[in-house]
DNA sequence: TGTACATCAGTGAACGCGCGTTCACTGATGTAC
DNA sequence: TGTACATCAGTGAACGCGCGTTCACTGATGTAC
């Protein structure tokens, strides 16, 4: 009857391990994540890690999963804007701010690669889809005339463009770029793209 | 008097090592580059590598240097276009094509990180600057009214946007995207950005 | 409520591997006379 | 042109380290009677 208690404690440790991994990754980046550091931080023995989780890769995916969830929350208020353009702009700006405030965790989202041949698990893939859909919603409103597959591509292009600018800014080849400047650049970028979309959609030049 | 001969042979081996490293990286990517594979491919002993080059990092930078040079050559014909817009479009398109034809070598350009605290050597940094300047030239023609530091930022934004789209496309989260589609997306992206620039520059909307 | 037994979370030393780099050596090449 | 000597490119076995993962063990927790 009390077997639930042990299960709880097991889940507890598991969470502590994910917490620890998250903290380590936030401090040292994905490449700096070491099994020993994680377990030490979580206050358990090295071996316990493999009782809670299959391997380090799973741990990374759990952390990435959390990061995506937090990103989702950070993007939510953007939906309140009144026009599709404004929504898109707000999404992009929230994305930039999130990336800046979560540099290493955000980078880990894109750096992590599973070993060759191992596919990304469905539950994780789906989390990505949700985000893409969120970004795509206002664009669909903007261009109801376009077929969905073209729109899907456009959404990824928009996302890729914003992502690329932020990525480059955080890489350090462009050190010390102030936050305000980055946000402004991204805003200009998105404005150009979205205005282009509307003009094309309404036949206006 | 014949000491030149030995020096030549030394330089020869060095070049063969860089060739080998380039081939290895093109096949297996930056992370797949191993000292033993390189020397075996170059037909020399493991230790000879360290006679020719300080360490693997230097080898990678030599390869990246070549890749940048080849990229420069690939971009050159774009300068023949007649309007600044057309030049920018041609540059972006040539960039995309180059990236697709040199996936792993192109990725290595951005993946390689020197160990913490070691700065990028000047000669390599400068190669980057040259490319950025090349991309920037038509933009300067487009917006002679803007101060240079704003333009510098804009150039990097444009580059980052294009880069991000290509990067995302090659990552594999977006597998099998046909080349034509990618080129078209990038063309649309750049058109939007460049048209925006001209309109803003001429006081148009 | 006790007692014997089973389970399994948790331990941490040890394993094993990959891999960059070093180092004592050798032999070919070049110099001095 | 020979001969003795010095140099140093090239060799590859060995070093050393980092680090993910395993595994024999232990002790606390839970079950059966």
């Amino acid at each position: 009857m009390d077997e639930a208690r042990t299960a709880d404690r097991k889940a507890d440790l598991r969470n502590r391990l994910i917490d620890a991994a998250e903290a380590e990754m936030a401090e040292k980046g994905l490449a700096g994540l070491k099994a020993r550091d994680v377990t030490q931080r979580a206050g358990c023995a090295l071996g316990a890690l493999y009782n809670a989780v299959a391997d380090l890769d799973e741990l990374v995916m759990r952390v990435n999963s959390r990061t995506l969830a937090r990103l989702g929350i950070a993007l939510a208020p953007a939906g309140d804007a009144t026009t599709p353009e404004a929504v898109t702009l707000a999404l992009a700006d929230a994305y930039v701010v999130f990336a800046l405030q979560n540099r290493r965790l955000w980078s880990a989202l894109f750096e992590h690669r599973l070993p060759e041949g191992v596919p990304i698990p469905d539950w994780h893939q789906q989390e990505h889809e949700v985000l893409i859909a969120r970004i795509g919603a206002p664009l669909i409103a903007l261009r109801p005339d376009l077929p969905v597959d073209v729109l899907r591509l456009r959404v990824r292009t928009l996302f890729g463009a914003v992502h690329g600018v932020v990525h480059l800014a955080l890489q350090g080849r462009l050190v010390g770029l102030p936050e305000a400047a980055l946000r402004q650049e991204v805003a200009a970028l998105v404005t150009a793209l979205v205005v282009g979309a509307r003009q094309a959609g309404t036949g206006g030049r």
Side-chain angles (χ1 to χ4, degrees), chain A:
Chain A
M1 177 182 102
D2 275 341
E3 75 184 31
R5 200 142 49 189
T6 30
D8 281 358
R9 288 168 15 115
K10 198 178 168 183
D12 246 40
L13 176 56
R14 187 189 152 92
N15 285 328
R16 260 164 43 227
L17 283 165
I18 301 174
D19 288 344
E22 189 176 27
E24 288 289 322
M25 281 168 60
E27 276 175 24
K28 306 174 196 166
L30 177 62
L33 185 75
K34 313 291 168 192
R36 283 164 181 78
D37 293 346
V38 170
T39 50
Q40 186 178 346
R41 189 163 203 145
C44 69
L46 182 55
L49 176 63
Y50 296 87
N51 229 6
V53 121
D55 53 22
L56 271 192
D57 278 324
E58 186 189 334
L59 204 54
V60 172
M61 285 193 309
R62 298 286 171 200
V63 171
N64 280 350
S65 188
R66 283 191 185 180
T67 306
L68 280 174
R70 289 195 300 114
L71 174 57
I73 292 171
L75 294 185
D80 296 344
T82 47
T83 66
E85 285 96 338
V87 171
T88 307
L89 269 169
L91 281 171
D93 193 55
Y95 183 80
V96 173
V97 170
F98 182 87
L100 287 173
Q101 282 174 349
N102 300 271
R103 300 182 174 227
R104 294 186 210 282
L105 290 175
W106 176 79
S107 293
L109 248 27
F110 302 93
E111 285 168 14
H112 186 233
R113 291 274 161 277
L114 289 172
E116 191 121 18
V118 180
I120 300 167
D122 256 10
W123 59 269
H124 198 245
Q125 181 65 37
Q126 210 147 15
E127 292 169 338
H128 281 263
E129 303 294 344
V130 168
L131 271 188
I132 292 282
R134 171 95 58 101
I135 297 166
L139 285 191
I140 293 173
L142 220 48
R143 296 297 304 273
D145 56 312
L146 288 181
V148 279
D149 54 329
V150 172
L151 271 169
R152 271 179 63 85
L153 207 52
R154 275 294 138 85
V155 171
R156 292 189 188 246
T157 299
L158 174 62
F159 176 75
V162 172
H163 173 81
V165 172
V166 177
H167 186 69
L168 211 67
L170 290 196
Q171 280 238 333
R173 312 222 188 237
L174 192 51
V175 209
L177 177 68
E179 169 170 343
L182 178 59
R183 290 172 71 177
Q184 193 185 327
E185 284 302 305
V186 170
L189 170 71
V190 173
T191 300
L193 292 178
V194 168
V195 168
R198 163 140 301 189
Q199 288 176 338
T202 57
R205 97 151 12 236

